Amino acid sequence: MSTSVKLDNVMDFFPEYLKDNDFFGATFLSAVKPLKNLNLIKLRYGYYFFTPYNIDADNYFPVSISISKKGTVEIDVESQSTKEDNKEKSSSDYTKRKKQILAVKEKDGSYSISTRSVALLNRVYGIFNMETEQQQTFEKRNYDYNGELAKTVVRAYDPNTKCTNEQPKWNDSIPYSETTTYYLSPDDAIIEETRSNNGYKRAYYVTLTDGKIVSKQELTGDAYKECFDKYEEKRYTVKSEGRINNKQLRKENKQ
């Protein structure tokens, strides 16, 4: 038996570590924006949300959310837009899109949030000519037990105009550009830029203000090794602190 839950209240069912994460909140609300409520089924191992079946067919698109007691959250969203919905994309007859969001918490209190989006853009040229382009993006964020951002990976895949799928389907063989950021602190980081198909790789030391790059200096040789050793030393220390903190919390919860 399912229960209808207002979209504003769905966040209350997510694990505590996600409730205060601004990135997750914004990503979730953006993915399910057209909906006002979801149906809920309470399961032995957690919760399951899905799109109500009694909403207007013109506004319907499939959404499913699985929330486990261990803190794992999986969200799948499918949507479709037309020329009328996207007037700025007047050359596209329609766009089909699938988006997946996955959040996983580790035993030391650290956690990750990843998003994967794949879209098919169908463009019509003239009367009889149509081209289908597939677009893919991937992003993963790793946080330590304090909720501090430790690492991000962003992949932008090359558009694939040879796609013939009627439904968006993830393709790992498409070349991509990847930007990986290793946070030394909220104010500085190491950034690596790579290409999957030609061996391109560059590394930079950057300073940040509110997450935006203020200065950027290329890293090579010993300078790169020194910075990366500093990053790994910090991550090792924080992971150790996280394991100790979690053990203490478990002891307190048993009392």
Side-chain angles (χ1 to χ4, degrees):
M1 189 73 179
S2 64
T3 304
S4 180
V5 178
K6 290 184 178 179
L7 201 60
D8 292 342
N9 297 328
V10 172
M11 282 291 292
D12 294 339
F13 291 85
F14 288 122
E16 290 298 325
Y17 74 94
L18 293 176
K19 290 180 181 179
D20 295 326
N21 188 290
D22 293 337
F23 173 77
F24 177 81
T27 301
F28 167 69
L29 291 176
S30 174
V32 299
K33 186 177 180 180
L35 297 176
K36 294 182 179 179
N37 62 304
L38 290 169
N39 281 7
L40 161 68
I41 297 178
K42 187 174 181 180
L43 305 173
R44 184 174 60 182
Y45 53 84
Y47 301 98
Y48 180 76
F49 289 89
F50 58 95
T51 309
Y53 296 115
N54 59 347
I55 64 173
D56 192 314
D58 292 335
N59 296 323
Y60 177 81
F61 65 89
V63 174
S64 65
I65 305 172
S66 175
I67 305 173
S68 77
K69 289 184 178 179
K70 292 182 178 180
T72 298
V73 176
E74 297 181 66
I75 302 173
D76 288 278
V77 180
E78 297 180 29
S79 60
Q80 178 171 309
S81 56
T82 63
K83 277 186 181 180
E84 289 69 27
D85 298 325
N86 295 302
K87 292 181 179 179
E88 72 278 6
K89 297 179 180 178
S90 57
S91 62
S92 296
D93 256 358
Y94 62 86
T95 301
K96 291 183 178 180
R97 186 181 305 276
K98 285 187 177 183
K99 187 168 188 175
Q100 296 177 316
I101 305 169
L102 176 65
V104 179
K105 188 175 183 181
E106 306 296 338
K107 291 182 179 180
D108 62 2
S110 63
Y111 62 94
S112 65
I113 301 171
S114 59
T115 63
R116 189 167 69 168
S117 176
V118 53
L120 291 184
L121 281 68
N122 289 270
R123 296 189 176 95
V124 176
Y125 301 94
I127 301 176
F128 301 107
N129 297 323
M130 187 176 78
E131 178 183 79
T132 300
E133 178 181 281
Q134 178 158 315
Q135 297 181 348
Q136 294 182 179
T137 58
F138 172 81
E139 180 173 356
K140 185 174 183 179
R141 295 187 168 209
N142 291 86
Y143 297 83
D144 62 27
Y145 79 100
N146 285 317
E148 183 177 321
L149 191 58
K151 176 184 174 182
T152 63
V153 177
V154 179
R155 290 179 184 172
Y157 288 78
D158 295 347
N160 179 15
T161 56
K162 296 180 180 179
C163 176
T164 58
N165 294 326
E166 293 184 1
Q167 295 295 330
K169 185 177 181 181
W170 190 265
N171 185 350
D172 283 317
S173 66
I174 300 175
Y176 59 83
S177 299
E178 180 174 289
T179 301
T180 304
T181 304
Y182 303 91
Y183 290 89
L184 300 165
S185 76
D187 302 318
D188 62 345
I190 303 167
I191 289 181
E192 290 184 353
E193 298 174 353
T194 60
R195 279 284 301 175
S196 67
N197 61 344
N198 62 10
Y200 173 86
K201 184 175 182 179
R202 293 288 187 278
Y204 303 90
Y205 170 78
V206 299
T207 58
L208 307 166
T209 298
D210 297 327
K212 296 182 179 180
I213 297 175
V214 177
S215 66
K216 186 175 181 180
Q217 179 181 354
E218 187 168 3
L219 285 174
T220 58
D222 291 341
Y224 171 82
K225 184 178 184 304
E226 183 180 343
C227 275
F228 207 82
D229 285 348
K230 181 180 177 182
Y231 170 81
E232 290 190 321
E233 182 179 347
K234 179 182 178 180
R235 296 273 60 89
Y236 178 82
T237 300
V238 173
K239 279 183 173 292
S240 297
E241 292 173 352
R243 285 192 290 267
I244 293 171
N245 183 68
N246 270 12
K247 285 181 180 179
Q248 183 62 34
L249 288 175
R250 286 196 293 268
K251 284 182 180 179
E252 292 175 358
N253 291 333
K254 288 180 180 180
Q255 293 177 356

